[in-house]
Amino acid sequence: MKHEIERALSDLFRQQYAVAARLQLRAIGVTADQEHHRVDSGAWDRPSPRVVRMAGSPRSPEQDLMTALLETGPTALASHQSALWLWDVTRPPARHAVTVGATSPMRRGRFDLHRLTGPP
């Protein structure tokens, strides 16, 4: 079982620029105690309250945007300058922008958060 969790973690970190949301960790079987142990031991760090990052992984605009999206939840979308950057229209912004639905909880981080108004 432990081998399966390690493989799932490896796949998740590889697919998401070395970051993962707490909810994703729980879904693959990582307990809160295991998460805290890896953060306390320095194997992971915490770029935002609900996201962990493989310690020593290179920071990048992609990783920063993925962190913002994971922090704000599964319905969050890259928006404004971040969306333009993803479409290769402009350079990566100094601070990413994320848009969430009207009923999504507000999250804070190193990103600009926008909220949709009205029905989806």
Side-chain angles (χ1 to χ4, degrees):
M1 176 93 130
K2 183 177 178 178
H3 179 68
E4 292 170 8
I5 291 173
E6 292 302 321
R7 175 182 268 173
L9 276 173
S10 177
D11 289 346
L12 189 60
F13 282 132
R14 187 173 45 258
Q15 294 166 6
Q16 297 183 166
Y17 304 100
V19 292
R22 179 178 295 144
L23 289 175
Q24 293 175 311
L25 298 176
R26 296 303 173 274
I28 62 174
V30 177
T31 67
D33 286 343
Q34 291 168 329
E35 176 188 344
H36 293 301
H37 174 73
R38 289 188 187 208
V39 170
D40 292 344
S41 71
W44 295 345
D45 57 41
R46 197 173 296 287
S48 68
R50 291 165 191 79
V51 177
V52 296
R53 174 183 168 274
M54 286 181 60
S57 63
R59 293 254 338 248
S60 67
E62 292 86 356
Q63 186 183 75
D64 291 342
L65 179 56
M66 182 61 72
T67 298
L69 292 168
L70 291 172
E71 176 63 29
T72 51
T75 61
L77 302 169
S79 61
H80 299 71
Q81 293 292 78
S82 297
L84 289 173
W85 167 64
L86 288 174
W87 282 96
D88 205 22
V89 174
T90 187
R91 296 177 194 201
R95 189 172 166 94
H96 282 292
V98 174
T99 297
V100 297
T103 59
S104 295
M106 294 299 281
R107 305 274 195 239
R108 300 204 184 268
R110 293 181 290 199
F111 51 87
D112 296 326
L113 184 63
H114 305 275
R115 180 182 294 281
L116 295 174
T117 57

